[in-house]
Amino acid sequence: MNGQAENIKTELLTQQIVGKIYTEVQKLTTSEQSIKKIYQQRWIWELIQNAVDCKINQKPINIKINFNEESKILTFAHDGVGFSLKNIWSLVTQTSSKQTDDVKTGEFGTGFITTTVLSPQITIKSYIVDKGNTFEITIDRSGSTYEEINSAVSNNIRTLEQISNYTGESCDRKETKFVYNLSASNDLEKSITAVKEGLKNLKTHIAYLLTINNSIGTITINDIEYTVQENKPVRNLPTAQICIIKNTHDANKLYVFKYNSEHTSLLAPVQFNSSTNTLSFGAILPESVRLFCVFPLLNTNEFYFPMILNSDQFKTKMDRDGIYMTDANNVSLLNEASIAYKKILNTYKNFPTANIYNLCDINDSDPFTTYEWKNSIQKEINCQPMVLTNKNTLISIYDEKGKKQVYVPASKKEQNFQDVYDVVKELADIHITSFPYSKGWREIINNNIFLSDIQKKYFEGKSINNLNLENNTPLDWLNRYYSVLDKDQEQINMSTLFLNAENMFEPFSDLKKLDGHSDLLDILITITPGIEKKLLHSSVDLPNRYNAKISKLTDNAMAQFIEGKALEYIGRKNFQTKSETLPGFFEAILKFFSKNKELSAQLFPTLYNERSKLHSNSFSEELNQIGDIITEKEISLTSLKQIVSSDQLLATLIGDEENLSTEMIQKLSHIVSSTPYSGKIFESLIERSISDVYTEFVKNPNYEVPDTIEKWKSSQLSKTVFPVKKESRKLYVVIRPSDGDRIIFYEDQEIDVLSNATFELWTDNGTDVRQITLGDILKTTQITEVPLKKLF
């Protein structure tokens, strides 16, 4: 009866074991792909943890892992204590021997069976501590049916009975091996992938594991041994240290920063300079977990904490893939860690070379946003002045009003980043990250500024005069901006804002480029108000792709429009006084005709032949008056041409001014056009001459001028009249450009000063700067007789 009862008990226990194993195997084979991926990473940690549990007394354990992809054999070995009979029975029957142990570091949920994702056949080579005998047993989980699992388990039980009944001599074996034959797998490719994923995951975390876990002496992966070389203290942080991990493959070492609190430790990769005892923090890899409970808690890669956080007191989930967020013990540990984190941040915030941005990488998708520890970390990152700017100052990401105050320049193409940065840094009214640290801060600050963003912020609806730049002049900077923008774009953008002739910004699609005679543009402006708004600024250098796309305002196009408008007015029946209808329009056309005869005949085929119709009704009478004066003065045609070409007609005829109408005097005088284009040319010539003369005075020891041209301008009597000291004597100078080998006076102040005894006339033609004397004027004009009746 006892034998029968024993058989029944054995049969029932076997059925229970088979049922459990069958259920676990089914769970592994039918799991979702995401769960299988966790198993592929987790098998290595199950084996390492089991190995650590086998350490002998306080002696660190040594682990060796070898994968021969050619033979498809994975071997995991350790030099810890072998198996007790209870251990090996528990392993084979899949019943945990640790149910009553402290399971904070030893419970993997599905446990050892997860390693069958590699191979359903696992050979274990070890020794029985109780008896001292060696043993070898192959656990087979290859069956897909209940019957197949039952047969395999029954075979294992018979082997275990033989091992248990061994009465021979003890052995000297001091090593335990787990051998996985991947060839027995139903999907060899997936098994190989699982091995590689597990080993990759181990290499990702091996430095942190060795830093945290003193129970491990060495880990060898395919003959490369990793071990802790030494721990060095960290300056300014008494409980911190640098753990240096060496390997037998090369001289490259791994450095891990570790800061210890009472129940937690914070870790981060670093580059360490042992000679200066300085460090710079590295980036934690995206595939690295953020939480450890002595061993990594898989699937915590996106946990909110910005450093790797370890505590052996965490209450972990069953599958060790996270912690219980509402557990009071865990919350207390997280609060402790957040205080430690802020202490680290405060220690290194003033050292940009420490790359502190690598300690600020947090995951915003984490749902637990109400916890005090989390909010305090976020506030610390946002408000600490630790971002080095291009102005060499440390500021916080957010200002006192809670608005981001730091920008990170960004390019669409990596190779253009330096050029984009150099353009953005010229903007004086924004803070940007210092160049060496820009890429590091980019994801942390999350406030990129692209070249296209500059248009919205500085161009849209604004003038170029609104630009506040550090060093460059606005036009030079703008041309640099357009050049880099074009390089960084895949294709041109027709809505890009370009500078127009009124110094405002307009969409590229609305602009035209002057590709013809500026005098024709001046004429066009008189009859087309607002055309400057749609005209590209003449100093803008269009990139080639944009230049090929822009509409051109050519001589033919302008002339055709001007001719059409002029003929339209001439053809009106009630059109009698032309100069009153379109002031300056016809005069400008006639002036263009006189200066450009051949070109005018080509551009204005109809109007040029009928140009006499453009004169005012009193023109014939005025010509007669001029003819009389010329006859009276006995001026030859050759002399008249010389006088007109040297702008001296009025000086010759001024004695009979009463015989000329006001309109005729204006025609004979040099008229400065009020159009923006000619006005701009005039202004640029004046500014050039003033600058050149000032430079000449600075070099000339006989003259005294203020130390800056701006101060000199502030004392000017008019646009072209300036005070100077010459040999300690105060006098005034009139400055005029002499382009075209002529000087033209426009202002009353100039005449007043030239009438004074203490004056000098200085001129500049862009090449030469010189003083002009009365003798020079008489020689140049060939005037030998000066009428005086108007002077006395």
Side-chain angles (χ1 to χ4, degrees), residues 626-675:
I626 293 174
D628 292 342
I629 295 172
I630 290 173
T631 301
E632 179 185 342
K633 297 287 184 178
E634 296 181 353
I635 300 173
S636 67
L637 182 60
T638 301
S639 298
L640 179 61
K641 287 181 178 179
Q642 291 177 346
I643 292 172
V644 172
S645 65
S646 62
D647 289 332
Q648 297 300 316
L649 181 58
L650 279 180
T652 305
L653 302 179
I654 198 68
D656 291 311
E657 181 181 358
E658 61 272 13
N659 294 324
L660 298 177
S661 68
T662 301
E663 181 179 353
M664 196 62 200
I665 292 174
Q666 290 174 345
K667 286 180 182 297
L668 295 173
S669 300
H670 180 87
I671 301 173
V672 179
S673 172
S674 61
T675 62

Side-chain angles (χ1 to χ4, degrees), residues 233-238 240 276-278 347-348 351:
V234 175
R235 184 173 54 191
N236 300 328
L237 284 173
T276 61
N277 199 30
T278 58
T347 300
Y348 291 101
F351 301 96

Side-chain angles (χ1 to χ4, degrees), residues 428-472:
D429 58 344
I430 63 171
H431 296 289
I432 65 171
T433 49
S434 177
F435 181 79
Y437 309 106
S438 292
K439 293 180 181 179
W441 279 112
R442 185 177 310 287
E443 297 300 323
I444 311 304
I445 296 176
N446 193 25
N447 195 27
N448 288 338
I449 181 167
F450 291 89
L451 292 184
S452 55
D453 298 323
I454 289 177
Q455 296 202 37
K456 296 177 183 176
K457 185 175 177 64
Y458 294 95
F459 294 0
E460 205 167 82
K462 295 179 181 177
S463 163
I464 191 175
N465 298 324
N466 295 120
L467 284 175
N468 184 11
L469 302 174
E470 290 283 359
N471 298 306
N472 270 323

Side-chain angles (χ1 to χ4, degrees), residues 686-748:
I686 288 291
E687 287 299 319
R688 184 207 66 205
S689 296
I690 292 171
S691 177
D692 289 349
V693 172
Y694 174 79
T695 302
E696 180 67 23
F697 283 173
V698 170
K699 295 188 295 183
N700 193 324
N702 294 325
Y703 290 85
E704 295 181 36
V705 291
D707 54 3
T708 67
I709 193 170
E710 288 74 18
K711 291 181 180 178
W712 199 39
K713 287 181 178 180
S714 67
S715 63
Q716 65 192 126
L717 298 185
S718 71
K719 182 181 289 293
T720 59
V721 180
F722 294 81
V724 297
K725 282 187 178 181
K726 182 177 182 181
E727 297 174 345
S728 301
R729 184 171 60 93
K730 185 174 181 180
L731 54 83
Y732 292 95
V733 296
V734 177
I735 299 174
R736 271 287 156 186
S738 54
D739 298 72
D741 294 329
R742 66 182 63 187
I743 302 174
I744 304 171
F745 298 103
Y746 299 96
E747 301 179 0
D748 292 340

